């Protein structure tokens, strides 16, 4: 049965417009970009097959275009371009919050934007948001890079950049490439070193966010900063 023969409230596009994108499954969202299926299969069927073949939506969208084109249903340049453009649009939408002047008064918006920046990194990346005295963003930098086992963090470099930005506070963050966001003892030790170094120049560490795969943890929420 073709999608056009389905009840109207079950068709992916109509369902999205009536109930919102969150109501759609991953396969239904993919079907909107695929637009058509193949012989004997609807676009939703092709979407399910793509998810199964790639190991899920995240792995599909993280796949290099050169590999993506070999998947059934994505041989078309147009389809691949639509998917990649949608992914980049989402990243840019979140990245706009990193622009100078955006205020961060709780962990949620910071975690949202930092997840977009760090979640896909194959190695640990330590990043810093520099804020003014009203918690508005005045700078963002990925400062230290490591392996999947850890990143070497140098507090003196964070202090130096904080002074150059004339920052009143910072939010630091790093990703766990394993996907597990639970902070380690090493993460706590680094945070203590940073806090002590920045205290000397009257710059406050507001939070340390650990970014996993689809989840994040906040030191401030745990009462650790």
């Amino acid at each position: 049965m073709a999608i056009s023969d389905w009840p109207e409230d079950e068709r992916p596009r109509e369902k999205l417009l009536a109930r919102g994108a969150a109501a759609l499954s991953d396969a239904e969202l993919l079907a909107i970009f695929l637009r058509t299926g193949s012989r004997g299969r609807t676009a939703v069927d092709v979407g399910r097959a793509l998810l199964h073949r790639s190991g899920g939506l995240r792995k599909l969208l993280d796949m290099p275009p050169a590999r993506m084109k070999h998947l059934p249903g994505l041989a078309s340049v147009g389809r691949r371009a639509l998917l990649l453009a949608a992914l980049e649009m989402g990243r840019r939408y979140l990245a706009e919050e990193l622009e100078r002047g955006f205020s961060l008064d709780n962990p949620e918006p910071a975690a949202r934007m930092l997840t977009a920046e760090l979640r896909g990194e194959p190695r640990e990346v330590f990043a810093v948001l520099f804020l003014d005295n009203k918690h508005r963003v005045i700078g963002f930098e990925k400062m230290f890079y490591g392996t999947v086992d850890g990143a070497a963090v140098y507090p003196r470099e964070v202090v130096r950049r904080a002074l150059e930005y004339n920052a009143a506070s910072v939010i630091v963050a790093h990703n766990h490439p394993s996907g597990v966001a639970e902070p380690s003892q090493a993460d706590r030790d680094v945070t203590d070193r940073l806090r002590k170094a920045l205290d000397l120049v009257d710059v406050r560490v507001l939070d340390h966010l650990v970014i996993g795969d689809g989840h994040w943890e906040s030191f401030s929420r745990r009462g650790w900063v």
Side-chain angles (χ1 to χ4, degrees), residues 26-42:
D26 291 348
E28 289 171 327
L29 285 170
L30 281 174
I32 290 176
F33 290 96
L34 297 172
R35 300 184 66 183
T36 60
S38 57
R39 183 173 298 179
R41 297 196 303 173
T42 67

Side-chain angles (χ1 to χ4, degrees), residues 166-204:
N166 195 27
S169 59
V170 298
I171 294 173
V172 300
H174 76 284
N175 62 313
H176 279 178
S178 66
V180 179
E182 183 63 27
S184 66
Q185 184 58 49
D187 296 336
R188 297 189 66 174
D189 292 343
V190 165
T191 307
D192 286 340
R193 286 167 51 213
L194 283 167
R195 182 178 53 78
K196 289 174 182 176
L198 288 163
D199 277 349
L200 295 173
V201 292
D202 295 322
V203 177
R204 183 183 170 195

Side-chain angles (χ1 to χ4, degrees), residues 10 37 48 50 66 69 89-90 100 111 113 126 135-136 140 151 158 162 165 168 170 174 178 191 215:
E10 291 301 319
R48 290 194 189 103
L50 281 169
K69 71 179 182 181
M89 190 178 296
R100 182 180 292 266
M113 65 180 78
F126 189 91
H135 298 171
R136 294 175 301 194
F140 169 71
V158 180
Y165 277 109
V170 298
H174 76 284
S178 66
T191 307
H215 185 60

Side-chain angles (χ1 to χ4, degrees), residues 53-164:
R53 181 80 172 266
S54 62
L57 186 62
R58 169 78 186 281
K59 290 184 178 179
L60 173 63
L61 295 179
D62 281 347
M63 193 175 292
R67 284 184 56 201
M68 192 182 284
K69 71 179 182 181
H70 296 296
L71 293 176
L74 288 181
S76 164
V77 172
R79 285 182 173 182
R80 296 197 306 277
L82 280 174
L83 279 179
L84 295 172
L87 182 62
E88 183 59 24
M89 190 178 296
R91 286 185 181 132
R92 294 187 187 189
Y93 170 79
L94 292 173
E96 282 189 4
E97 295 181 335
L98 291 173
E99 293 180 357
R100 182 180 292 266
F102 190 85
S103 181
L104 300 174
D105 52 7
N106 68 75
E108 297 280 350
R112 190 167 60 245
M113 65 180 78
L114 288 164
T115 295
E117 288 286 339
L118 301 178
R119 188 178 68 175
E121 293 281 357
R123 56 181 177 168
E124 277 199 15
V125 178
F126 189 91
V128 183
L129 279 165
F130 299 94
L131 312 175
D132 66 12
N133 58 7
K134 294 184 178 179
H135 298 171
R136 294 175 301 194
V137 176
I138 53 177
F140 169 71
E141 293 187 17
K142 295 179 180 179
M143 295 195 65
F144 308 110
Y145 294 82
T147 66
V148 294
D149 298 314
V153 176
Y154 300 98
R156 67 179 180 273
E157 288 299 312
V158 180
V159 170
R160 181 179 66 82
R161 294 300 288 148
L163 291 173
E164 289 175 356

